[in-house]
Amino acid sequence: MGGGGGGGGGVMKDLRSKEELDRVIRGGESVILHFFAGWCEASKQMDQVFALLCTDFPLAHFFRVDAEELPELSEAYFVSAVPYFVFCKDGKTVDTLEGANPSSLANKVAELTGSIDHADSAAPANLRTAAGPAVLETVKEQAKGNDSSQTEKPSLNERLQQLVDSHPVFLFMKGSPEQPKCKFSRKVVEILKDEGVEFGSFDILTDDEVREGMKKFSNWPTFPQLYCKGEFIGGCDITVAMHESGELKEVFKDHGVLSHSNGAKTASGLSSALISRLESLINLSLVMLFMKGKPEEPKCGFSGKVVEILQQEKVEFESFDILTDDEVRQGLKVFSNWLSYPQLYIKGKLIGGSDIVLEMQKSGELKRVLAEEGILPKEPLEDRLRSLISSSEAMLFMKGSPDNPRCGFSRKVVDALREVGVTFGHFDILTDDDVRQGLKTFSNWPTYPQLYYKGEFIGGSDIVLEMQKSGELKSALSE
């Protein structure tokens, strides 16, 4: 199935480069691309159908594309899952298909080449007119294996419905309530806490099937998504508007969702007087640090570290020595549901302890939060990008983290860097849309991952992997 340059003639080709594809597409002929991954069973099954279809439609060009080997091409065609098919004609993309659906693939191929009418496309009964007996047999075998979309969709919908119904209030978000991965998710979490309602949540970054399925389930293309008693409320903007107008509170009340804001804390054993005192202390300053000792004389290394970070960021703050007041020391643990010290608050909201504050400083998130809250002047995006790039000698901008990559390209670069023994910093571009979009312009490189060394751009996954194969990577990152 290998080979280069041009398809056609009933032969499927493995695409080797974007330039090769561009040459064929410029000719205006019918081109079908199959984006696949070797580890994906559905890709392997659809590959059989794809191979058989190319013999039935010899005038079209059939190309297989390894989605992980050609990341720039995958990004250019917005490939987020495999198998994925792209249909091109007259020099432009005219259709796409995601998932393992043999009948839809056959019909779309036939439609592209003019073998069936558009009005009949995608109808399973037309598969016989769109493809030969071999394709039909393959489809039947896949159906026996329970791989057809008709059997998958109900199970996914049932799963989504179960998630929606699992709590009276449920939030589909990026990250978790304790550690949101985008500012919109964080905002909705803060609103729900302000409303004093208990809620369940699901991190859509951990499951692409749920992530894509919920867009169709709710007919809403973005996240977060908020539900109440199984009914879709809306995304961030709608939730904010409803919260500010008081409508959200009414919705919760109408659906029998009770507010537990201060009552829950009192039920935990804190008196109203102590709650009032803690709230006053937390709001004593825009930036408030509960620590062991004083800023000029910390009584533990963790407290000292947070003081050092705040001073490095040139932030004015007040502090409270929890060693001087056991009632505050014990009560604040219950009030904040955070069992250790130090605890940092910004405008009355808990940020976290020393590990979270340190991580936020390294990623630039702390400076961004302080700027958003009006405590620090907003840093120009370009300055922030330069700061991130220079935060480590070798710096990788990727999807996910080194221990939990969110795409195969990022995983391969992490493996390559580890293999040559390079220590590197990282930034998860899924957590910050400003950085994600801004860095593309800054580097003039449209995809991720992106690797930098001593502030200079090295390249994406294809360049890094090529350097690893040639033995250049280790020497280039140790100059």
Side-chain angles (χ1 to χ4, degrees):
M1 291 183 189
V11 179
M12 180 172 67
K13 302 285 186 179
D14 286 318
L15 192 66
R16 302 301 182 190
S17 68
K18 185 177 184 297
E19 291 71 27
E20 180 184 356
L21 175 62
D22 288 342
R23 284 195 298 271
V24 179
I25 287 180
R26 277 197 299 268
E29 299 173 76
S30 299
V31 178
I32 304 100
L33 305 175
H34 172 205
F35 287 87
F36 75 98
W39 46 264
C40 177
E41 281 303 316
S43 284
K44 294 175 184 175
Q45 291 158 359
M46 290 302 291
D47 198 41
Q48 299 174 42
V49 178
F50 195 66
L52 292 167
L53 281 169
C54 78
T55 63
D56 280 4
F57 299 92
L59 298 180
H61 296 260
F62 287 76
F63 286 111
R64 291 197 332 158
V65 186
D66 189 321
E68 295 190 347
E69 292 297 328
L70 294 174
E72 282 69 37
L73 206 57
S74 298
E75 185 107 356
Y77 285 100
F78 306 103
V79 179
S80 59
V82 292
Y84 190 85
F85 300 89
V86 177
F87 304 85
C88 304
K89 195 170 187 177
D90 299 326
K92 59 185 179 182
T93 300
V94 295
D95 204 355
T96 60
L97 174 66
E98 183 177 314
N101 192 326
S103 60
S104 288
L105 176 61
N107 280 306
K108 285 180 181 291
V109 170
E111 181 183 346
L112 184 75
T113 57
S115 301
I116 59 175
D117 292 334
H118 185 275
D120 292 330
S121 64
N126 288 330
L127 181 59
R128 191 173 300 278
T129 67
V135 175
L136 289 170
E137 195 59 38
T138 302
V139 172
K140 289 177 184 175
E141 288 301 314
Q142 290 196 21
K144 288 179 186 175
N146 200 31
D147 288 313
S148 71
S149 62
Q150 283 83 358
T151 57
E152 287 179 358
K153 283 183 179 175
S155 61
L156 175 58
N157 281 339
E158 286 173 4
R159 185 183 173 204
L160 299 179
Q161 192 66 57
Q162 287 171 358
L163 283 170
V164 167
D165 294 337
S166 63
H167 292 76
V169 179
F170 198 84
L171 179 65
F172 292 88
M173 64 180 292
K174 293 181 180 179
S176 64
E178 298 76 28
Q179 195 171 4
K181 296 291 189 182
C182 78
K183 59 185 177 184
F184 306 113
S185 293
R186 181 190 303 114
K187 185 65 180 174
V188 175
V189 167
E190 289 172 357
I191 286 172
L192 293 175
K193 288 180 177 178
D194 284 346
E195 293 283 351
V197 296
E198 295 180 1
F199 63 98
S201 70
F202 185 91
D203 180 2
I204 52 94
L205 296 177
T206 65
D207 193 316
D208 278 338
E209 189 179 41
V210 171
R211 182 178 188 171
E212 295 307 316
M214 280 307 300
K215 293 178 183 179
K216 297 174 184 176
F217 185 90
S218 63
N219 194 27
W220 194 265
T222 59
F223 293 95
Q225 294 181 12
L226 180 63
Y227 282 79
C228 179
K229 290 290 184 79
E231 293 182 15
F232 181 51
I233 301 297
C236 181
D237 289 346
I238 290 175
T239 303
V240 169
M242 291 177 68
H243 174 62
E244 290 175 349
S245 69
E247 186 181 354
L248 189 60
K249 192 179 293 293
E250 291 301 315
V251 168
F252 290 147
K253 191 181 296 183
D254 290 345
H255 285 80
V257 177
L258 302 178
S259 172
H260 301 291
S261 52
N262 284 341
K265 297 182 179 73
T266 304
S268 299
L270 301 183
S271 66
S272 298
L274 178 55
I275 290 171
S276 179
R277 185 182 174 210
L278 294 174
E279 287 176 340
S280 296
L281 285 171
I282 287 169
N283 290 284
L284 189 63
S285 172
L286 292 176
V287 181
M288 188 71 192
L289 178 63
F290 292 84
M291 61 180 291
K292 293 181 178 179
K294 299 176 181 178
E296 58 275 14
E297 194 178 349
K299 297 293 187 182
C300 77
F302 303 116
S303 294
K305 186 63 186 174
V306 175
V307 168
E308 183 184 336
I309 289 170
L310 293 174
Q311 290 173 343
Q312 287 172 353
E313 298 292 343
K314 297 181 173 58
V315 177
E316 293 185 8
F317 66 98
E318 296 288 339
S319 69
F320 185 92
D321 182 0
I322 51 93
L323 296 178
T324 64
D325 193 315
D326 201 52
E327 185 182 47
V328 171
R329 179 180 187 174
Q330 301 304 327
L332 193 59
K333 293 179 184 179
V334 177
F335 185 88
S336 65
N337 195 28
W338 194 270
L339 299 180
S340 60
Y341 290 97
Q343 293 182 20
L344 179 66
Y345 291 78
I346 295 178
K347 283 194 171 179
K349 296 169 186 171
L350 176 67
I351 300 300
S354 60
D355 53 347
I356 289 178
V357 174
L358 178 59
E359 187 61 37
M360 288 177 69
Q361 185 198 33
K362 283 182 178 178
S363 69
E365 175 76 0
L366 181 60
K367 193 181 289 291
R368 188 178 69 79
V369 170
L370 289 166
E372 282 185 353
E373 296 294 348
I375 295 163
L376 288 180
K378 196 160 188 178
E379 183 182 28
L381 179 58
E382 188 169 323
D383 290 350
R384 185 177 174 220
L385 295 177
R386 291 185 190 281
S387 178
L388 284 170
I389 288 168
S390 60
S391 61
S392 291
E393 192 170 57
M395 185 67 186
L396 179 64
F397 292 83
M398 63 180 292
K399 293 180 180 179
S401 66
D403 294 329
N404 189 22
R406 298 292 189 189
C407 78
F409 313 125
S410 294
R411 183 181 67 245
K412 286 186 176 183
V413 172
V414 167
D415 290 344
L417 292 172
R418 286 174 169 170
E419 188 174 308
V420 297
V422 172
T423 301
F424 61 97
H426 74 279
F427 184 90
D428 180 1
I429 53 94
L430 295 176
T431 65
D432 194 310
D433 280 337
D434 288 343
V435 172
R436 182 178 188 174
Q437 300 304 326
L439 197 61
K440 292 179 182 180
T441 303
F442 184 88
S443 64
N444 196 26
W445 193 265
T447 60
Y448 291 98
Q450 293 185 18
L451 179 64
Y452 291 77
Y453 182 66
K454 291 185 176 180
E456 296 294 325
F457 180 54
I458 301 297
S461 61
D462 52 346
I463 291 175
V464 173
L465 296 177
E466 188 61 39
M467 291 176 68
Q468 181 196 26
K469 287 177 185 175
S470 67
E472 296 176 48
L473 185 61
K474 188 168 185 177
S475 58
L477 299 184
S478 57
E479 291 177 352

